[in-house]
Amino acid sequence: MGGEKYPEVQGGGSLILAWQVRHRKVLVIGGGEVAAGRILNLLNADAKVSLISPRDGLNDEVAYRVARKQVEYHDKKFEPSDLDDPAITMVLTAIDEPEASSQIWKLCKEKRIAANIADVPPECDFYFGSVHRDGPLQIMVSTNGNGPKMANIVRRRIAADLPPNMGDAIAKVGALRKKLRVTAPRNEEGPKRMQWMSKVCVKWSLEDLCEMDEGDMEQLLEYYRPDKVPSLEQIRLGEEPDEWLFDGSFGWACVV
């Protein structure tokens, strides 16, 4: 009954989320190349990384992280009691011992700790995709465990088509959005704030957004109350904005 109007359900996917692990403890077991990539991802997300691995199993990058005290290091093999710490919110294993990895997975399930067992998709609560990073911009491509190399190829193709200054533009939009929340802090203004920011993102080019400075932001915010959006040129020339209607039917919404 009218079902053709709605998106068709496609099972077999994952719920892709931006998992906030800032200041949270994550346990990494293993110190090889895969662990190095996992550790870097966690440090980029401001997680508190605890690493368990014998010192002779550390690769050069992981040894560097340990030497710089970027991780809390335990020079030993994993023991079940290592999961007794209630502060652990996530476990990542990257060891070349299938039986030991499966045992860790089972222990995590008993303690209801989210876990990822490297290269064993059935024993993962979540997957690591291929990520493109440009300042505040992060784009993840996931193949749901079917082909990590393909995810990397797709991610590179997407990144190649992005403007080189996309990250800078998004950072400026984020700064403007924070200032707008100070200008219009009330919760009931939320819908208007979102719509006005959408107008800015559609009307201003990436180059304009990158060029925008603090003074431009302050002047632009003066047009929030009358719900107008002048161009960067109009702001700098002191001209009034053209009458321009926005109904949300085109363009992209800015929700950074």
Side-chain angles (χ1 to χ4, degrees), residues 132 139 154-164 166 206:
H132 169 72
I139 299 173
V154 173
R155 186 262 301 169
R156 288 178 181 274
R157 181 169 297 185
I158 292 172
D161 289 336
L162 292 173
M166 180 65 83
L206 288 174

Side-chain angles (χ1 to χ4, degrees), residues 165-236:
N165 54 358
M166 180 65 83
D168 290 339
I170 291 175
K172 292 291 184 69
V173 169
L176 177 63
R177 185 167 178 255
K178 288 179 180 178
K179 289 178 176 293
L180 177 59
R181 283 188 170 274
V182 175
T183 299
R186 295 183 300 171
N187 291 335
E188 56 267 30
E189 291 195 78
K192 182 182 177 181
R193 285 197 306 264
M194 291 179 64
Q195 188 182 55
W196 188 79
M197 284 300 305
S198 293
K199 293 178 184 179
V200 174
C201 292
V202 171
K203 187 169 183 179
W204 285 42
S205 68
L206 288 174
E207 290 73 22
D208 288 341
L209 292 170
C210 288
E211 190 179 338
M212 176 174 59
D213 58 27
E214 293 285 330
D216 297 327
M217 290 184 194
E218 296 298 336
Q219 291 186 59
L220 177 57
L221 288 169
E222 293 179 7
Y223 292 90
Y224 168 74
R225 293 297 177 194
D227 200 20
K228 295 180 179 181
V229 177
S231 67
L232 178 60
E233 183 180 12
Q234 288 170 331
I235 282 179
R236 292 184 172 178

Side-chain angles (χ1 to χ4, degrees), residues 111-152:
K111 293 182 175 292
R112 298 185 177 182
I113 302 174
N116 173 281
I117 312 301
D119 205 30
V120 187
E123 296 183 348
C124 291
D125 291 309
F126 54 91
Y127 302 126
F128 281 86
S130 183
V131 177
H132 169 72
R133 179 75 184 270
D134 180 4
L137 174 66
Q138 287 181 268
I139 299 173
M140 189 187 88
V141 177
S142 173
T143 60
N144 288 295
N146 287 283
K149 184 60 179 178
M150 285 302 301
N152 184 269

Side-chain angles (χ1 to χ4, degrees), residues 45-59:
D46 299 323
K48 299 169 74 172
V49 181
S50 180
L51 171 66
I52 293 178
S53 174
R55 189 168 292 274
D56 59 9
L58 303 182
N59 82 347

